[in-house]
C-alpha cells in the first residue's frame, strides 16, 4: 500500500525498514513524546514492533503503520500510524513522529493530511482521535493546523521518567 503526496511517499512498513527506522528514531525525545517507542531504539526492537503491527493488520485490521519517505531520495524520515481501528464505532487513533533532522519542514502536516484522507475515504472511518502530552508544543500546533479539536485534558495521565504528565485528547470528525 502506497500513498504519494507532493514531497512524500507513505508506504506500509516492513521488517526491511527496521535498520533505517532505528537510526532516525533512536532519539530520547521521540521516546518521551510517543511513550511507546523505546529508547535506545535498536534494529531488533523495531523488528519486534513491526512484526507485531504486521500481525495485527493481517489478523484484525486494527493498526496500520506507514513509513514516511522523501519522494526525491527515498530516505525514511519518520512514521505515521492509524491504530485502535474500531470498525463498529468507525473511529481510530493516529500517531506519528519524524526524525530530528526533518522537523519544521511541513512534512508531518503533509503526512497527517494523507493519513486523515486514508482514514476517512479508504477505511471509511467517521472520527479520528489523537492524544499529546500537554508540553508537546509542536504536535499540539500540528493537530490544530490539521483541523483537530482539543476536547479535554487528562490530568496526571502518563508516568514518564518518574513524573506524571497531563495529556490532551483531540478529535477530528469526518465532515464528508
Amino acid at each position: 500500500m502506497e500513498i504519494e503526496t507532493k514531497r512524500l511517499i507513505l508506504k506500509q512498513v516492513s521488517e526491511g525498514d527496521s535498520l533505517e527506522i532505528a537510526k532516525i528514531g533512536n532519539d530520547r525525545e521521540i521516546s518521551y513524546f510517543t511513550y511507546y517507542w523505546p529508547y535506545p531504539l535498536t534494529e531488533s526492537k523495531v523488528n519486534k514492533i513491526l512484526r507485531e503491527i504486521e500481525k495485527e493488520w493481517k489478523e484484525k485490521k486494527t493498526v496500520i503503520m506507514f513509513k514516511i519517505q522523501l519522494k526525491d531520495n527515498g530516505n525514511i524520515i519518520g512514521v505515521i500510524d492509524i491504530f485502535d481501528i474500531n470498525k463498529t464505532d468507525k473511529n481510530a487513533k493516529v500517531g506519528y513522529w519524524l526524525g530530528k533532522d526533518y522537523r519544521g519542514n511541513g512534512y508531518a502536516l503533509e503526512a497527517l493530511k494523507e493519513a486523515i484522507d486514508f482514514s476517512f475515504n479508504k477505511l471509511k472511518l467517521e472520527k479520528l482521535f489523537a492524544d499529546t502530552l500537554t508540553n508537546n508544543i509542536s504536535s499540539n500546533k500540528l493537530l490544530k493546523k490539521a483541523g483537530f479539536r482539543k476536547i479535554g485534558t487528562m490530568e496526571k495521565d502518563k508516568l514518564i521518567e518518574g513524573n506524571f504528565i497531563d495529556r490532551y485528547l483531540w478529535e477530528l470528525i469526518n465532515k464528508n
Side-chain angles (χ1 to χ4, degrees), residues 49-168:
I49 292 168
L50 297 186
R51 276 194 305 273
E52 289 170 4
I53 287 170
E54 185 177 5
K55 181 180 180 204
E56 190 80 17
W57 178 250
K58 283 181 180 176
E59 292 176 4
K60 300 178 186 171
K61 301 280 193 249
T62 57
V63 62
I64 185 167
M65 181 179 285
F66 296 98
K67 59 188 170 185
I68 304 168
Q69 293 178 279
L70 293 176
K71 200 183 246 185
D72 63 357
N73 62 18
N75 288 346
I76 297 174
I77 65 169
V79 299
I80 189 162
D81 57 337
I82 302 157
F83 60 102
D84 289 349
I85 299 169
N86 182 323
K87 291 179 177 72
T88 303
D89 294 332
K90 297 187 178 290
N91 63 45
K93 296 177 183 172
V94 64
Y96 45 81
W97 59 261
L98 290 180
K100 192 181 301 190
D101 296 338
Y102 303 100
R103 298 175 196 153
N105 297 299
Y107 296 134
L109 182 60
E110 196 171 324
L112 181 56
K113 284 181 176 179
E114 289 304 315
I116 292 166
D117 183 67
F118 178 83
S119 297
F120 290 162
N121 296 313
K122 298 282 191 245
L123 297 177
K124 304 295 185 199
L125 301 177
E126 292 300 320
K127 186 187 282 191
L128 281 177
F129 293 102
D131 64 77
T132 57
L133 297 180
T134 56
N135 60 351
N136 190 343
I137 307 237
S138 298
S139 199
N140 291 323
K141 284 181 183 176
L142 173 68
L143 289 169
K144 191 171 186 176
K145 207 180 272 190
F148 280 77
R149 178 177 72 100
K150 187 172 24 169
I151 58 174
T153 302
M154 298 172 285
E155 296 180 6
K156 293 187 175 185
D157 192 60
K158 280 289 177 191
L159 181 62
I160 302 174
E161 298 176 357
N163 297 303
F164 280 103
I165 310 289
D166 296 346
R167 286 192 303 159
Y168 292 137

Side-chain angles (χ1 to χ4, degrees), residues 9-24:
I9 297 171
L10 278 60
K11 193 173 187 178
Q12 203 164 356
V13 293
S14 67
E15 283 188 54
D17 301 319
S18 296
L19 181 59
E20 199 169 350
I21 289 172
K23 283 181 183 176
I24 62 160

